[in-house]
Amino acid sequence: MNQKKKSENKSKTYTLFDNENGLSYELPLINGTVGPDVLDISNLYKDSGLFTYDPGFTSTASCNSKITYIDGEKGILRHRGYDIKELCENSNFMEVCYLLLHGDLPSSEDYKKFTNLISKHTMINEQLRNLYGGFRRNAHPMAIMVGVVGALSAFYHDSTDINDPNQRMIASHRLIAKMPTIGAMAYKYSIGQPYIYPKNDLSYSENFLHMMFAVPSEKFIVNKTLSNALDKFFILHADHEQNASTSTVRLAGSSNANPFACIAAGIASLWGPAHGGANEAVINMLTEINSKDRISEYILKSKDKDDPFRLMGFGHRVYKNYDPRASVMKNTAHEVLNELGIKNDPLLDIALELEKIALNDEYFIEKKLYPNVDFYSGIILKAINFPTNMFTVLFAIGRTSGWISQWKEMIEDPVQKIGRPRQLYIGNEYRKYKPQEKREKISIFKKLWFK
Ligand code: SDX
Protein backbone atom coordinates (compact mmCIF):
# COMPACT_ATOMS: atom_id res chain seq x y z
CA MET A 1 0.00 0.00 0.00
CA ASN A 2 1.78 3.21 -1.04
CA GLN A 3 2.04 6.42 1.02
CA LYS A 4 -0.52 8.30 -1.12
CA LYS A 5 -3.07 5.53 -0.71
CA LYS A 6 -2.45 5.47 3.03
CA SER A 7 -3.27 9.14 3.41
CA GLU A 8 -6.57 8.47 1.59
CA ASN A 9 -7.37 5.95 4.32
CA LYS A 10 -7.09 8.43 7.18
CA SER A 11 -10.07 7.97 9.61
CA LYS A 12 -11.58 5.26 7.35
CA THR A 13 -13.72 2.74 9.23
CA TYR A 14 -15.02 -0.73 8.38
CA THR A 15 -18.51 -1.65 9.46
CA LEU A 16 -19.53 -5.06 10.76
CA PHE A 17 -23.21 -5.73 10.09
CA ASP A 18 -25.44 -7.97 12.23
CA ASN A 19 -28.27 -8.20 9.70
CA GLU A 20 -30.36 -10.52 11.88
CA ASN A 21 -30.64 -7.92 14.62
CA GLY A 22 -30.24 -4.88 12.37
CA LEU A 23 -27.11 -3.81 14.23
CA SER A 24 -23.73 -2.60 12.99
CA TYR A 25 -20.36 -2.01 14.62
CA GLU A 26 -17.71 0.45 13.50
CA LEU A 27 -14.14 -0.85 13.30
CA PRO A 28 -11.75 2.08 12.76
CA LEU A 29 -8.82 1.48 10.40
CA ILE A 30 -5.39 2.42 11.78
CA ASN A 31 -2.61 3.07 9.26
CA GLY A 32 0.96 1.89 9.74
CA THR A 33 3.97 3.57 8.12
CA VAL A 34 4.29 0.65 5.73
CA GLY A 35 2.75 -2.82 5.56
CA PRO A 36 -0.79 -3.98 6.47
CA ASP A 37 -3.11 -1.52 8.21
CA VAL A 38 -5.10 -2.79 11.20
CA LEU A 39 -8.73 -2.82 12.25
CA ASP A 40 -9.10 -1.53 15.79
CA ILE A 41 -11.33 -4.13 17.49
CA SER A 42 -10.58 -3.01 21.06
CA ASN A 43 -14.23 -1.95 21.60
CA LEU A 44 -15.83 -4.84 19.71
CA TYR A 45 -16.60 -6.97 22.78
CA LYS A 46 -17.90 -3.98 24.75
CA ASP A 47 -20.16 -2.98 21.84
CA SER A 48 -21.20 -6.40 20.47
CA GLY A 49 -20.46 -9.04 23.11
CA LEU A 50 -18.37 -10.81 20.43
CA PHE A 51 -14.70 -11.86 20.58
CA THR A 52 -12.54 -12.31 17.50
CA TYR A 53 -10.93 -15.72 17.09
CA ASP A 54 -7.42 -16.20 15.71
CA PRO A 55 -5.49 -19.15 17.20
CA GLY A 56 -1.78 -18.66 16.48
CA PHE A 57 -2.46 -14.98 15.72
CA THR A 58 -2.16 -15.46 11.96
CA SER A 59 -4.11 -12.21 11.32
CA THR A 60 -3.69 -10.38 14.60
CA ALA A 61 -1.45 -7.43 15.47
CA SER A 62 -0.77 -7.60 19.22
CA CYS A 63 0.87 -4.17 19.49
CA ASN A 64 2.31 -1.29 17.54
CA SER A 65 6.08 -1.12 17.18
CA LYS A 66 8.80 0.91 15.50
CA ILE A 67 11.58 -1.64 15.85
CA THR A 68 11.33 -4.21 13.04
CA TYR A 69 9.42 -4.42 9.77
CA ILE A 70 8.99 -7.66 7.84
CA ASP A 71 7.37 -8.09 4.43
CA GLY A 72 6.89 -11.86 4.13
CA GLU A 73 5.86 -11.76 0.48
CA LYS A 74 8.85 -9.68 -0.66
CA GLY A 75 11.35 -11.21 1.77
CA ILE A 76 12.09 -7.86 3.43
CA LEU A 77 13.50 -7.46 6.97
CA ARG A 78 14.40 -4.00 8.30
CA HIS A 79 15.43 -2.79 11.75
CA ARG A 80 14.38 0.81 12.40
CA GLY A 81 14.19 1.15 8.59
CA TYR A 82 17.66 -0.27 7.85
CA ASP A 83 17.71 -3.37 5.61
CA ILE A 84 19.14 -6.53 7.18
CA LYS A 85 21.55 -7.15 4.29
CA GLU A 86 22.97 -3.61 4.52
CA LEU A 87 23.38 -4.00 8.28
CA CYS A 88 25.20 -7.32 7.80
CA GLU A 89 27.50 -5.80 5.16
CA ASN A 90 28.27 -2.51 6.92
CA SER A 91 27.45 -2.69 10.63
CA ASN A 92 28.27 -4.88 13.62
CA PHE A 93 26.22 -6.47 16.39
CA MET A 94 26.94 -3.79 18.99
CA GLU A 95 25.73 -1.08 16.57
CA VAL A 96 22.59 -3.12 15.87
CA CYS A 97 21.95 -3.52 19.63
CA TYR A 98 22.16 0.27 19.98
CA LEU A 99 19.91 0.72 16.92
CA LEU A 100 17.24 -1.61 18.30
CA LEU A 101 17.36 -0.08 21.78
CA HIS A 102 17.61 3.61 20.87
CA GLY A 103 16.01 3.88 17.44
CA ASP A 104 18.97 4.97 15.30
CA LEU A 105 22.58 4.13 14.48
CA PRO A 106 25.00 5.61 17.06
CA SER A 107 27.40 8.50 16.48
CA SER A 108 31.01 7.37 16.88
CA GLU A 109 31.05 8.96 20.34
CA ASP A 110 27.85 7.19 21.42
CA TYR A 111 29.14 3.94 19.92
CA LYS A 112 32.28 4.15 22.07
CA LYS A 113 30.19 4.96 25.17
CA PHE A 114 27.72 2.12 24.49
CA THR A 115 30.34 -0.57 23.83
CA ASN A 116 32.24 0.57 26.91
CA LEU A 117 29.04 0.36 29.01
CA ILE A 118 28.29 -3.14 27.72
CA SER A 119 31.86 -4.33 28.37
CA LYS A 120 31.58 -3.16 32.01
CA HIS A 121 28.64 -5.56 32.58
CA THR A 122 30.05 -8.75 31.03
CA MET A 123 30.95 -10.44 34.35
CA ILE A 124 28.33 -12.13 36.52
CA ASN A 125 28.14 -12.22 40.32
CA GLU A 126 30.54 -14.94 41.50
CA GLN A 127 27.75 -16.42 43.65
CA LEU A 128 25.92 -17.38 40.44
CA ARG A 129 28.64 -19.92 39.71
CA ASN A 130 27.10 -22.12 42.45
CA LEU A 131 23.88 -22.28 40.43
CA TYR A 132 25.66 -24.14 37.64
CA GLY A 133 26.79 -26.76 40.13
CA GLY A 134 23.16 -27.65 40.79
CA PHE A 135 22.72 -28.91 37.21
CA ARG A 136 23.81 -32.32 35.92
CA ARG A 137 26.85 -31.96 33.67
CA ASN A 138 24.78 -33.19 30.73
CA ALA A 139 21.91 -30.74 31.31
CA HIS A 140 20.79 -29.09 28.07
CA PRO A 141 22.44 -25.63 28.07
CA MET A 142 19.08 -24.01 27.34
CA ALA A 143 17.78 -25.40 30.65
CA ILE A 144 20.75 -23.70 32.33
CA MET A 145 20.10 -20.45 30.45
CA VAL A 146 16.46 -20.35 31.59
CA GLY A 147 17.53 -20.99 35.19
CA VAL A 148 20.52 -18.67 35.41
CA VAL A 149 18.96 -15.74 33.50
CA GLY A 150 15.82 -15.98 35.64
CA ALA A 151 18.06 -15.99 38.74
CA LEU A 152 19.74 -12.71 37.71
CA SER A 153 16.79 -10.92 39.31
CA ALA A 154 17.99 -12.31 42.65
CA PHE A 155 21.36 -10.58 42.19
CA TYR A 156 20.61 -7.33 40.38
CA HIS A 157 17.78 -5.85 42.46
CA ASP A 158 19.05 -2.36 41.63
CA SER A 159 17.77 -2.76 38.05
CA THR A 160 14.40 -4.43 38.55
CA ASP A 161 12.20 -1.37 39.07
CA ILE A 162 10.55 -1.28 35.66
CA ASN A 163 9.17 2.23 36.29
CA ASP A 164 12.65 3.73 36.56
CA PRO A 165 14.04 4.52 33.07
CA ASN A 166 17.59 4.40 34.38
CA GLN A 167 17.08 0.95 35.89
CA ARG A 168 15.44 -0.23 32.66
CA MET A 169 18.52 0.85 30.74
CA ILE A 170 20.95 -0.77 33.19
CA ALA A 171 18.96 -4.04 33.06
CA SER A 172 19.03 -3.89 29.24
CA HIS A 173 22.80 -3.42 29.21
CA ARG A 174 23.30 -6.15 31.81
CA LEU A 175 21.26 -8.67 29.84
CA ILE A 176 22.95 -7.96 26.50
CA ALA A 177 26.36 -8.06 28.18
CA LYS A 178 25.90 -11.14 30.37
CA MET A 179 24.21 -13.54 27.97
CA PRO A 180 27.50 -14.60 26.26
CA THR A 181 29.17 -15.09 29.66
CA ILE A 182 26.27 -17.20 30.96
CA GLY A 183 26.14 -19.21 27.73
CA ALA A 184 29.88 -19.87 27.60
CA MET A 185 29.84 -20.93 31.27
CA ALA A 186 27.05 -23.41 30.50
CA TYR A 187 29.29 -24.94 27.83
CA LYS A 188 32.42 -25.01 30.02
CA TYR A 189 30.38 -26.60 32.82
CA SER A 190 29.19 -29.35 30.47
CA ILE A 191 32.76 -30.30 29.51
CA GLY A 192 34.26 -29.86 32.98
CA GLN A 193 36.63 -27.09 31.92
CA PRO A 194 37.30 -23.95 34.03
CA TYR A 195 35.20 -20.89 33.28
CA ILE A 196 36.97 -18.22 31.24
CA TYR A 197 36.36 -14.65 32.36
CA PRO A 198 35.33 -12.02 29.79
CA LYS A 199 38.12 -9.76 28.46
CA ASN A 200 37.13 -6.15 27.88
CA ASP A 201 39.73 -5.58 25.20
CA LEU A 202 37.93 -8.01 22.88
CA SER A 203 34.84 -7.24 20.77
CA TYR A 204 31.53 -8.80 21.77
CA SER A 205 31.83 -11.75 19.38
CA GLU A 206 35.59 -12.20 19.94
CA ASN A 207 34.91 -12.25 23.69
CA PHE A 208 32.31 -14.96 23.31
CA LEU A 209 34.62 -17.17 21.21
CA HIS A 210 37.35 -16.61 23.79
CA MET A 211 35.09 -17.56 26.73
CA MET A 212 33.89 -20.62 24.81
CA PHE A 213 37.11 -22.08 23.46
CA ALA A 214 40.06 -20.64 25.44
CA VAL A 215 41.68 -22.61 28.28
CA PRO A 216 43.77 -21.03 31.07
CA SER A 217 46.81 -23.07 30.12
CA GLU A 218 47.16 -21.81 26.56
CA LYS A 219 47.20 -18.56 24.60
CA PHE A 220 44.02 -18.22 22.52
CA ILE A 221 44.06 -16.28 19.25
CA VAL A 222 40.61 -15.32 17.99
CA ASN A 223 40.13 -16.12 14.28
CA LYS A 224 38.78 -12.83 12.86
CA THR A 225 36.85 -14.55 10.04
CA LEU A 226 35.04 -16.67 12.59
CA SER A 227 34.34 -13.77 14.97
CA ASN A 228 33.05 -11.72 12.02
CA ALA A 229 30.83 -14.63 10.96
CA LEU A 230 29.56 -14.90 14.54
CA ASP A 231 28.89 -11.15 14.65
CA LYS A 232 26.83 -11.51 11.47
CA PHE A 233 25.02 -14.49 13.04
CA PHE A 234 24.08 -12.32 16.03
CA ILE A 235 22.87 -9.49 13.76
CA LEU A 236 20.72 -11.95 11.78
CA HIS A 237 19.14 -13.23 15.00
CA ALA A 238 18.79 -9.87 16.78
CA ASP A 239 15.09 -9.20 16.30
CA HIS A 240 12.18 -10.41 14.27
CA GLU A 241 8.94 -8.52 15.05
CA GLN A 242 6.36 -10.30 17.24
CA ASN A 243 7.57 -13.92 16.97
CA ALA A 244 6.65 -16.48 19.64
CA SER A 245 9.49 -15.72 22.06
CA THR A 246 9.24 -11.94 21.66
CA SER A 247 5.49 -12.14 22.25
CA THR A 248 6.27 -14.22 25.35
CA VAL A 249 8.63 -11.51 26.63
CA ARG A 250 6.01 -8.81 25.96
CA LEU A 251 3.23 -10.77 27.64
CA ALA A 252 5.40 -11.56 30.67
CA GLY A 253 6.50 -7.92 30.80
CA SER A 254 2.92 -6.65 30.58
CA SER A 255 2.36 -7.83 34.17
CA ASN A 256 5.32 -5.59 35.21
CA ALA A 257 7.48 -8.64 35.92
CA ASN A 258 11.19 -7.76 36.15
CA PRO A 259 13.20 -7.80 32.89
CA PHE A 260 15.37 -10.78 33.88
CA ALA A 261 12.29 -12.94 34.46
CA CYS A 262 10.83 -11.78 31.14
CA ILE A 263 13.95 -12.67 29.18
CA ALA A 264 14.06 -16.07 30.91
CA ALA A 265 10.50 -16.62 29.67
CA GLY A 266 11.62 -15.67 26.15
CA ILE A 267 14.50 -18.18 26.34
CA ALA A 268 12.05 -20.90 27.36
CA SER A 269 9.80 -20.16 24.38
CA LEU A 270 12.70 -19.91 21.92
CA TRP A 271 13.87 -23.40 22.91
CA GLY A 272 10.98 -25.06 21.07
CA PRO A 273 12.03 -26.88 17.84
CA ALA A 274 9.27 -25.07 15.93
CA HIS A 275 11.04 -21.81 16.85
CA GLY A 276 14.64 -21.19 17.88
CA GLY A 277 15.30 -24.86 18.59
CA ALA A 278 15.08 -25.46 14.83
CA ASN A 279 18.79 -24.76 14.24
CA GLU A 280 19.72 -27.69 16.47
CA ALA A 281 16.93 -29.76 14.89
CA VAL A 282 18.23 -28.99 11.34
CA ILE A 283 21.65 -30.44 12.10
CA ASN A 284 20.09 -33.47 13.78
CA MET A 285 17.86 -33.92 10.71
CA LEU A 286 20.74 -33.57 8.22
CA THR A 287 22.78 -36.02 10.29
CA GLU A 288 19.86 -38.48 10.32
CA ILE A 289 19.36 -38.14 6.54
CA ASN A 290 23.08 -38.78 6.27
CA SER A 291 23.16 -39.25 2.47
CA LYS A 292 21.76 -37.49 -0.60
CA ASP A 293 20.02 -40.69 -1.68
CA ARG A 294 17.76 -40.54 1.37
CA ILE A 295 16.62 -36.94 0.85
CA SER A 296 13.49 -37.88 -1.16
CA GLU A 297 12.44 -40.30 1.60
CA TYR A 298 12.52 -37.45 4.12
CA ILE A 299 10.77 -35.01 1.82
CA LEU A 300 7.99 -37.59 1.47
CA LYS A 301 7.85 -37.98 5.26
CA SER A 302 7.56 -34.22 5.71
CA LYS A 303 4.47 -34.17 3.45
CA ASP A 304 2.76 -37.03 5.25
CA LYS A 305 -0.01 -35.55 7.42
CA ASP A 306 0.14 -38.57 9.72
CA ASP A 307 3.84 -38.11 10.28
CA PRO A 308 4.81 -35.33 12.74
CA PHE A 309 8.14 -34.94 10.90
CA ARG A 310 8.65 -31.51 9.39
CA LEU A 311 11.54 -30.45 7.19
CA MET A 312 13.38 -28.47 9.87
CA GLY A 313 14.70 -25.10 8.71
CA PHE A 314 11.91 -24.84 6.15
CA GLY A 315 8.75 -22.76 6.26
CA HIS A 316 7.86 -19.64 8.15
CA ARG A 317 4.71 -18.00 9.46
CA VAL A 318 5.56 -14.70 7.81
CA TYR A 319 8.05 -15.38 5.00
CA LYS A 320 6.21 -16.85 2.05
CA ASN A 321 9.32 -16.14 0.04
CA TYR A 322 12.98 -16.74 0.77
CA ASP A 323 13.91 -15.64 4.33
CA PRO A 324 16.42 -12.81 3.63
CA ARG A 325 18.47 -13.99 6.58
CA ALA A 326 18.86 -17.47 5.06
CA SER A 327 20.66 -16.13 1.98
CA VAL A 328 23.12 -14.13 4.11
CA MET A 329 23.61 -17.19 6.30
CA LYS A 330 24.22 -19.40 3.24
CA ASN A 331 26.98 -17.06 1.95
CA THR A 332 28.51 -16.85 5.42
CA ALA A 333 28.53 -20.66 5.65
CA HIS A 334 30.64 -20.81 2.48
CA GLU A 335 33.00 -18.09 3.85
CA VAL A 336 33.50 -19.97 7.12
CA LEU A 337 34.04 -23.36 5.44
CA ASN A 338 36.57 -21.80 3.03
CA GLU A 339 38.38 -20.08 5.92
CA LEU A 340 38.58 -23.38 7.76
CA GLY A 341 39.68 -25.19 4.60
CA ILE A 342 36.68 -27.50 4.80
CA LYS A 343 36.36 -28.45 1.13
CA ASN A 344 33.31 -30.66 1.26
CA ASP A 345 31.18 -30.57 4.34
CA PRO A 346 28.83 -33.59 4.02
CA LEU A 347 26.06 -31.83 5.94
CA LEU A 348 26.34 -28.74 3.72
CA ASP A 349 26.22 -30.96 0.63
CA ILE A 350 23.05 -32.62 1.90
CA ALA A 351 21.58 -29.19 2.84
CA LEU A 352 22.28 -27.75 -0.63
CA GLU A 353 20.79 -30.84 -2.33
CA LEU A 354 17.80 -30.84 0.02
CA GLU A 355 17.17 -27.16 -0.70
CA LYS A 356 17.40 -27.75 -4.46
CA ILE A 357 14.94 -30.67 -4.39
CA ALA A 358 12.51 -28.99 -1.99
CA LEU A 359 12.42 -25.73 -3.95
CA ASN A 360 11.36 -27.70 -7.03
CA ASP A 361 8.80 -29.83 -5.22
CA GLU A 362 5.14 -29.08 -5.90
CA TYR A 363 4.15 -29.37 -2.22
CA PHE A 364 6.79 -26.88 -1.03
CA ILE A 365 6.05 -24.51 -3.90
CA GLU A 366 2.29 -24.63 -3.24
CA LYS A 367 2.74 -24.12 0.52
CA LYS A 368 5.44 -21.47 -0.05
CA LEU A 369 7.96 -23.25 2.11
CA TYR A 370 11.46 -21.81 1.78
CA PRO A 371 14.62 -22.19 3.88
CA ASN A 372 14.47 -19.97 6.96
CA VAL A 373 17.19 -18.46 9.15
CA ASP A 374 17.80 -21.81 10.84
CA PHE A 375 18.51 -23.86 7.74
CA TYR A 376 22.13 -22.82 7.21
CA SER A 377 23.04 -21.38 10.59
CA GLY A 378 23.81 -24.80 12.04
CA ILE A 379 26.38 -25.45 9.30
CA ILE A 380 28.30 -22.34 10.38
CA LEU A 381 28.09 -23.09 14.09
CA LYS A 382 29.11 -26.71 13.62
CA ALA A 383 32.11 -25.64 11.50
CA ILE A 384 33.19 -23.25 14.29
CA ASN A 385 32.97 -26.24 16.64
CA PHE A 386 29.96 -25.23 18.72
CA PRO A 387 28.23 -28.36 19.99
CA THR A 388 24.74 -28.76 18.48
CA ASN A 389 22.99 -28.26 21.82
CA MET A 390 24.59 -24.79 22.06
CA PHE A 391 23.03 -23.55 18.80
CA THR A 392 19.84 -22.23 20.37
CA VAL A 393 21.90 -20.62 23.14
CA LEU A 394 23.60 -18.57 20.43
CA PHE A 395 20.22 -17.70 18.95
CA ALA A 396 19.15 -16.51 22.44
CA ILE A 397 22.32 -14.42 22.83
CA GLY A 398 21.59 -12.60 19.56
CA ARG A 399 17.84 -12.31 20.21
CA THR A 400 18.26 -10.82 23.71
CA SER A 401 18.95 -7.45 22.04
CA GLY A 402 15.58 -7.67 20.26
CA TRP A 403 13.69 -9.05 23.24
CA ILE A 404 14.88 -6.31 25.59
CA SER A 405 14.26 -3.57 23.00
CA GLN A 406 10.70 -4.82 22.47
CA TRP A 407 10.23 -5.10 26.25
CA LYS A 408 11.48 -1.50 26.71
CA GLU A 409 9.19 -0.27 23.90
CA MET A 410 6.22 -2.01 25.51
CA ILE A 411 6.92 -0.62 29.01
CA GLU A 412 7.33 2.89 27.55
CA ASP A 413 4.13 2.61 25.46
CA PRO A 414 1.53 4.90 27.11
CA VAL A 415 -1.34 2.63 26.02
CA GLN A 416 0.35 -0.50 27.39
CA LYS A 417 -1.76 -2.66 29.72
CA ILE A 418 -1.56 -6.21 31.01
CA GLY A 419 -2.03 -8.69 28.17
CA ARG A 420 -5.08 -10.86 28.83
CA PRO A 421 -6.50 -12.67 25.76
CA ARG A 422 -10.00 -14.21 25.93
CA GLN A 423 -11.15 -17.57 24.47
CA LEU A 424 -13.87 -19.48 22.66
CA TYR A 425 -15.21 -21.73 25.41
CA ILE A 426 -16.24 -25.17 24.07
CA GLY A 427 -16.33 -27.10 27.36
CA ASN A 428 -19.25 -28.36 29.47
CA GLU A 429 -22.17 -26.16 30.36
CA TYR A 430 -23.27 -26.04 34.04
CA ARG A 431 -23.38 -29.46 35.71
CA LYS A 432 -24.50 -30.13 39.29
CA TYR A 433 -21.83 -31.62 41.60
CA LYS A 434 -22.07 -35.43 41.91
CA PRO A 435 -20.87 -37.33 45.00
CA GLN A 436 -18.35 -40.10 44.17
CA GLU A 437 -20.80 -42.97 44.64
CA LYS A 438 -23.06 -41.48 41.97
CA ARG A 439 -20.37 -41.14 39.31
CA GLU A 440 -19.73 -43.27 36.20
CA LYS A 441 -17.60 -46.28 36.93
CA ILE A 442 -15.37 -45.80 33.80
CA SER A 443 -11.89 -44.68 34.71
CA ILE A 444 -10.20 -41.99 32.63
CA PHE A 445 -6.87 -43.24 33.94
CA LYS A 446 -7.54 -46.76 32.61
CA LYS A 447 -8.27 -45.33 29.15
CA LEU A 448 -5.27 -43.01 29.06
CA TRP A 449 -2.50 -44.32 31.25
CA PHE A 450 -2.93 -47.54 33.19
CA LYS A 451 -3.85 -50.02 30.46
C1 SDX B 1 11.97 -19.29 13.63
O1 SDX B 1 8.19 -16.14 13.84
C2 SDX B 1 9.42 -15.88 13.62
O2 SDX B 1 9.79 -14.82 13.18
C3 SDX B 1 10.38 -16.99 14.00
C4 SDX B 1 11.83 -16.78 13.63
C5 SDX B 1 12.44 -15.64 14.41
O3 SDX B 1 13.45 -15.09 13.94
O4 SDX B 1 11.99 -15.39 15.55
O5 SDX B 1 11.95 -16.51 12.24
C6 SDX B 1 12.66 -18.01 13.96
O6 SDX B 1 11.29 -19.82 14.46
C7 SDX B 1 12.09 -19.83 12.23
C8 SDX B 1 11.23 -21.13 12.02
C9 SDX B 1 12.05 -22.31 12.54
N1 SDX B 1 11.23 -23.52 12.57
C10 SDX B 1 11.42 -24.52 11.72
O7 SDX B 1 12.24 -24.50 10.80
C11 SDX B 1 10.57 -25.75 12.01
C12 SDX B 1 9.95 -26.26 10.70
N2 SDX B 1 8.96 -25.28 10.24
C13 SDX B 1 7.56 -25.53 10.61
O8 SDX B 1 7.41 -26.05 11.90
C14 SDX B 1 6.66 -24.34 10.26
O9 SDX B 1 6.98 -23.95 8.99
C15 SDX B 1 6.67 -23.11 11.15
C16 SDX B 1 6.37 -23.45 12.58
C17 SDX B 1 7.95 -22.41 11.06
C18 SDX B 1 5.57 -22.17 10.62
O10 SDX B 1 4.38 -22.81 10.84
P1 SDX B 1 2.98 -22.10 10.47
O11 SDX B 1 3.16 -20.75 9.95
O12 SDX B 1 2.07 -22.28 11.62
O13 SDX B 1 2.54 -22.88 9.24
P2 SDX B 1 1.80 -24.25 9.31
O14 SDX B 1 2.48 -25.13 10.33
O15 SDX B 1 0.35 -23.98 9.47
O16 SDX B 1 2.15 -24.81 7.89
C19 SDX B 1 1.35 -24.47 6.78
C20 SDX B 1 1.35 -25.74 5.94
C21 SDX B 1 0.89 -26.96 6.74
O17 SDX B 1 0.31 -27.86 5.83
P3 SDX B 1 -1.34 -27.88 5.76
O18 SDX B 1 -1.82 -28.15 7.18
O19 SDX B 1 -1.72 -26.51 5.25
O20 SDX B 1 -1.64 -29.02 4.80
O21 SDX B 1 2.71 -26.02 5.53
C22 SDX B 1 3.12 -27.27 6.09
C23 SDX B 1 2.19 -27.59 7.23
O22 SDX B 1 2.05 -29.01 7.38
N3 SDX B 1 4.49 -27.06 6.58
C24 SDX B 1 5.48 -27.94 6.42
C25 SDX B 1 6.60 -27.31 7.00
N4 SDX B 1 6.24 -26.14 7.51
C26 SDX B 1 4.93 -25.99 7.25
N5 SDX B 1 5.52 -29.15 5.83
C27 SDX B 1 6.75 -29.75 5.86
N6 SDX B 1 7.87 -29.22 6.41
C28 SDX B 1 7.83 -28.00 6.97
N7 SDX B 1 8.93 -27.48 7.51
Side-chain angles (χ1 to χ4, degrees):
M1 188 177 278
N2 62 34
Q3 205 55 34
K4 189 171 166 315
K5 202 163 168 216
K6 284 216 178 280
S7 55
E8 284 163 12
N9 282 329
K10 285 251 174 294
S11 72
K12 182 172 176 181
T13 60
Y14 282 67
T15 307
L16 191 62
F17 288 103
D18 171 358
N19 294 324
E20 205 179 309
N21 303 303
L23 297 169
S24 64
Y25 309 104
E26 299 295 297
L27 302 176
L29 184 77
I30 307 177
N31 301 129
T33 322
V34 65
D37 295 328
V38 298
L39 287 177
D40 180 351
I41 58 166
S42 46
N43 291 320
L44 180 66
Y45 176 60
K46 182 166 63 64
D47 297 347
S48 71
L50 293 170
F51 292 145
T52 58
Y53 181 61
D54 183 16
F57 310 115
T58 51
S59 310
T60 297
S62 60
C63 63
N64 61 47
S65 178
K66 299 176 182 167
I67 299 175
T68 292
Y69 172 67
I70 303 174
D71 181 325
E73 300 308 324
K74 296 182 189 144
I76 291 172
L77 168 58
R78 294 181 196 140
H79 294 312
R80 305 283 190 180
Y82 294 99
D83 181 79
I84 191 67
K85 286 190 178 152
E86 288 186 53
L87 290 172
C88 283
E89 280 154 17
N90 307 298
S91 187
N92 64 49
F93 182 59
M94 278 294 99
E95 262 206 349
V96 171
C97 290
Y98 183 97
L99 173 68
L100 294 173
L101 266 175
H102 299 295
D104 214 332
L105 292 167
S107 63
S108 47
E109 189 197 338
D110 279 351
Y111 177 74
K112 274 200 208 87
K113 260 194 221 150
F114 181 71
T115 47
N116 183 41
L117 265 173
I118 296 295
S119 68
K120 293 289 178 281
H121 286 294
T122 48
M123 291 207 298
I124 62 172
N125 184 302
E126 281 292 290
Q127 196 68 11
L128 269 163
R129 295 161 69 113
N130 301 330
L131 201 55
Y132 285 78
F135 288 95
R136 297 165 67 127
R137 288 277 177 186
N138 65 354
H140 195 291
M142 283 297 277
I144 298 178
M145 294 304 284
V146 172
V148 175
V149 172
L152 292 178
S153 47
F155 289 83
Y156 299 105
H157 288 291
D158 60 341
S159 59
T160 51
D161 174 359
I162 58 115
N163 297 307
D164 176 345
N166 190 41
Q167 292 195 29
R168 290 201 297 267
M169 196 43 71
I170 295 170
S172 307
H173 294 160
R174 278 175 164 156
L175 280 155
I176 291 171
K178 294 181 193 309
M179 284 294 279
T181 310
I182 295 167
M185 285 174 70
Y187 171 61
K188 288 297 196 189
Y189 180 73
S190 72
I191 56 174
Q193 278 189 2
Y195 301 132
I196 300 293
Y197 283 100
K199 285 180 66 173
N200 292 343
D201 57 344
L202 295 177
S203 75
Y204 189 88
S205 302
E206 289 169 347
N207 212 351
F208 181 56
L209 285 175
H210 177 255
M211 291 189 284
M212 278 289 298
F213 299 119
V215 286
S217 48
E218 282 170 30
K219 196 167 166 38
F220 181 82
I221 313 284
V222 177
N223 177 317
K224 291 286 183 196
T225 307
L226 301 188
S227 59
N228 290 338
L230 194 58
D231 207 67
K232 220 173 267 182
F233 174 95
F234 288 141
I235 292 174
L236 290 168
H237 287 80
D239 191 57
H240 212 239
E241 202 210 64
Q242 306 310 319
N243 57 82
S245 52
T246 299
S247 302
T248 302
V249 170
R250 277 182 171 260
L251 198 55
S254 74
S255 73
N256 292 350
N258 73 71
F260 304 106
C262 296
I263 299 302
I267 295 171
S269 168
L270 185 76
W271 192 1
H275 189 14
N279 51 20
E280 177 177 357
V282 166
I283 290 295
N284 294 338
M285 174 187 74
L286 294 174
T287 309
E288 187 187 325
I289 292 175
N290 193 30
S291 106
K292 288 184 189 177
D293 326 343
R294 298 188 60 200
I295 288 176
S296 317
E297 172 198 333
Y298 279 83
I299 290 206
L300 260 182
K301 254 173 79 75
S302 75
K303 298 190 247 187
D304 177 355
K305 288 296 155 229
D306 300 327
D307 189 327
F309 175 76
R310 287 278 183 281
L311 214 50
M312 301 317 280
F314 264 79
H316 198 277
R317 168 63 55 77
V318 177
Y319 290 122
K320 298 308 170 193
N321 196 323
Y322 214 90
D323 181 336
R325 301 169 296 175
S327 33
V328 178
M329 207 66 93
K330 187 173 170 180
N331 299 336
T332 310
H334 286 295
E335 283 163 21
V336 166
L337 294 174
N338 290 340
E339 167 65 20
L340 295 172
I342 301 172
K343 291 282 165 276
N344 52 356
D345 177 294
L347 292 184
L348 179 64
D349 293 345
I350 294 173
L352 291 167
E353 184 65 13
L354 176 59
E355 179 190 23
K356 201 166 76 187
I357 298 174
L359 293 185
N360 291 295
D361 180 287
E362 256 323 293
Y363 174 90
F364 286 83
I365 295 167
E366 184 236 326
K367 299 211 181 282
K368 299 186 176 182
L369 303 174
Y370 292 89
N372 57 46
V373 66
D374 294 303
F375 189 63
Y376 285 105
S377 57
I379 305 280
I380 299 171
L381 300 182
K382 192 171 175 305
I384 304 180
N385 260 336
F386 287 105
T388 312
N389 67 6
M390 279 292 291
F391 290 6
T392 312
V393 171
L394 272 80
F395 193 148
I397 291 170
R399 185 52 57 89
T400 294
S401 56
W403 284 332
I404 203 65
S405 302
Q406 297 265 357
W407 169 81
K408 179 176 171 291
E409 182 179 64
M410 177 211 46
I411 294 286
E412 292 167 359
D413 181 347
V415 299
Q416 185 266 336
K417 56 175 75 148
I418 190 164
R420 206 287 185 207
R422 301 304 302 273
Q423 62 176 17
L424 173 69
Y425 177 71
I426 53 172
N428 294 95
E429 291 191 58
Y430 171 74
R431 304 189 274 175
K432 198 160 171 38
Y433 181 80
K434 241 186 253 171
Q436 267 194 20
E437 60 279 6
K438 294 217 170 104
R439 292 173 204 162
E440 307 290 316
K441 293 287 169 280
I442 39 140
S443 149
I444 292 181
F445 282 117
K446 259 208 206 97
K447 258 198 310 191
L448 291 177
W449 286 293
F450 313 118
K451 293 284 176 226

